Amino acid sequence: MRISGYRALTTVHDWGRPVGDANGLYADGVVKVPLVVVETDEGITGVGVGPHVEIDSIFAALEGEDPRGVTALYDRMLRRTFKAGHAGSVFGTIGALDTALWDIKAKAAGEPLWRLLGGRDRRVPAYASGLDMGLDDAGLVSLYKEYAERGLRAAKLKGGLDVDRDRERLTLVRDVLTEAGNGARPGLMLDANEVWSRKQAVRHVTELERTLDLTWVEEPVRRWDADGLGAVGRGVRAAVATGENLTGLEQFRPLITAGAVDVVQTAAVWGVTHFLRVAALAHAYDLPVSPIGTTPHGLLHAATSVPNHLVTELQDLRPPTGFVLDLSIEDGAFVLGDSPGAGLTLDEDAIRAITAGPVTRAYDSPAVRPGLAGLRLLAPRVH
């Protein structure tokens, strides 16, 4: 079997409401979702979700190769980009291609990817994460009731701008999950998306912890700030979670060796091989791993095969347009199916139909870091 080509596509995820975080919102709730389909000369194709940046150059490392040599091909892609830097969107392109190759490998073997990777249990524990910064109280309660109906008993909220507002929102969600769980204490997390300075993070979280029990605080300061993350971890009771925006083991190693991270996260867009390597590094330090992402189909399968998986992020209960996923959400967990591969098939006609028109990306989206991040003296009101 040989890799013969690829198709780069873009669909959209229509959330039906504003989505975003402390750095901004997609006000119309419509977000682009790039993906790639890798083709082989035997007709087996693989799907990976992620960018197309520099894809012609990166694909040259794969063309004509046997797709089943996935980890060696992953390193081959890294070598091809080492001068320019295999980070950011380029790393996402590598991750998308890598996930597509794992999809092909499992399909060729006639097995679901979770079984090919050595997983025993197809059930992957989940927590709710609604990218909910743009919701009012009624919308927030309604959203997390929907998650609770699927058995989820842990939730991560966006926040970081106003401690009083964060307390109100966390309390509302805590009450929803407590009622759904017949009084059992839920898990609560807060994601600040790098919006604080070190002291702001400690003050904000310490104030919340006067009345709330937080499982973790996510990205309280800049992703690479090992000293700052360590200072936050020492100053609060909650665990510090980070890693979704780190690319490569070389970026994780300083944080892990400094004791600056308690929950090691990886983003779905960076691919399966990256996750497996980060999980092994974290396991060496007795740290749990937690995948992040809108459609983490590849990492769900990989999570079944590592000994230190904690929980995986569940964002929208509805997938992007044209995505057909072989999984269900039951009793607070993703339950993976038996179809060969990573369990993601595409309706390309549906994708072409919906992407024929323009899709805008607002300047105030979460992809644009505001100039006042970490520099605000007073909290802006976000009611």
Side-chain angles (χ1 to χ4, degrees):
M1 185 189 303
R2 299 293 167 184
I3 298 169
S4 57
Y6 74 87
R7 302 195 305 279
L9 307 171
T10 300
T11 185
V12 297
H13 194 160
D14 187 351
W15 295 72
R17 58 179 175 83
V19 291
D21 56 37
N23 296 304
L25 298 174
Y26 294 112
D28 60 2
V30 179
V31 183
K32 290 183 179 180
V33 181
L35 60 133
V36 61
V37 179
V38 175
E39 303 164 336
T40 69
D41 60 359
E42 294 190 9
I44 300 176
T45 60
V47 180
V49 179
H52 310 149
V53 176
E54 300 293 337
I55 193 167
D56 286 337
S57 174
I58 298 168
F59 184 76
L62 306 180
E63 192 166 18
E65 297 288 327
D66 188 324
R68 293 167 293 188
V70 184
T71 53
L73 292 176
Y74 180 80
D75 288 319
R76 189 176 172 90
M77 289 188 284
L78 293 182
R79 289 197 302 273
R80 179 164 287 271
T81 57
F82 94 106
K83 275 287 188 182
H86 44 73
S89 295
V90 170
F91 198 70
T93 302
I94 293 172
L97 291 167
D98 173 73
T99 299
L101 295 182
W102 279 109
D103 191 21
I104 292 171
K105 185 179 177 77
K107 287 175 179 174
E111 293 186 331
L113 182 56
W114 62 269
R115 191 176 298 281
L116 179 78
L117 289 170
R120 177 175 175 270
D121 187 352
R122 70 181 72 211
R123 184 179 181 276
V124 181
Y127 70 88
S129 176
L131 307 184
D132 46 52
M133 197 70 167
L135 295 178
D136 60 17
D137 289 354
L140 190 72
V141 168
S142 176
L143 175 65
Y144 283 91
K145 281 184 176 179
E146 189 175 1
Y147 290 123
E149 289 170 358
R150 302 293 187 97
L152 278 83
R153 297 295 179 263
K156 182 177 77 183
L157 273 66
K158 298 294 187 179
L161 297 179
D162 183 326
V163 68
D164 294 323
R165 182 63 181 146
D166 285 348
R167 181 188 294 108
E168 292 167 358
R169 300 174 81 248
L170 285 162
T171 300
L172 285 171
V173 172
R174 181 199 63 189
D175 292 346
V176 167
L177 298 182
T178 300
E179 181 179 359
N182 296 318
R185 178 182 295 184
L188 289 178
M189 295 83 88
L190 182 69
D191 188 355
N193 292 102
E194 305 182 52
V195 77
W196 293 321
S197 69
R198 301 177 189 184
K199 286 293 188 179
Q200 285 176 332
V202 173
R203 289 174 58 217
H204 199 112
V205 177
T206 300
E207 175 62 23
L208 291 175
E209 288 182 326
R210 289 177 53 246
T211 55
L212 292 165
D213 182 23
L214 295 180
T215 303
W216 77 57
V217 56
E218 186 170 323
E219 289 192 332
V221 296
R222 299 313 303 269
R223 66 196 72 167
W224 52 76
D225 186 2
D227 289 342
L229 290 163
V232 175
R234 291 186 296 272
V236 304
R237 298 198 311 268
V240 170
T242 192
E244 67 173 287
N245 289 305
L246 300 181
T247 55
L249 293 183
E250 68 277 6
Q251 295 188 10
F252 283 85
R253 188 170 57 242
L255 274 62
I256 290 176
T257 57
V261 55
D262 303 302
V263 178
V264 180
Q265 298 173 311
T266 69
V269 71
W270 307 137
V272 171
T273 300
H274 172 70
F275 169 79
L276 293 173
R277 293 180 177 182
V278 171
L281 176 62
H283 185 50
Y285 287 82
D286 292 319
L287 293 173
V289 289
S290 180
I292 295 287
T294 307
T295 309
H297 70 290
L299 298 201
L300 290 173
H301 290 259
T304 69
S305 70
V306 300
N308 53 334
H309 173 259
L310 177 64
V311 66
T312 293
E313 182 176 45
L314 169 60
Q315 293 187 353
D316 200 0
L317 293 167
R318 294 155 292 275
T321 296
F323 281 29
V324 181
L325 299 170
D326 184 17
L327 60 83
S328 58
I329 311 298
E330 302 173 15
D331 297 326
F334 298 93
V335 181
L336 300 173
D338 283 318
S339 61
L344 169 58
T345 56
L346 300 177
D347 181 343
E348 294 193 33
D349 289 337
I351 292 173
R352 282 188 289 269
I354 200 162
T355 57
V359 178
T360 60
R361 187 172 187 135
Y363 176 78
D364 62 347
S365 78
V368 180
R369 180 172 170 81
L372 289 179
L375 298 174
R376 294 183 179 90
L377 178 61
L378 299 175
R381 299 301 294 180
V382 291
H383 286 289

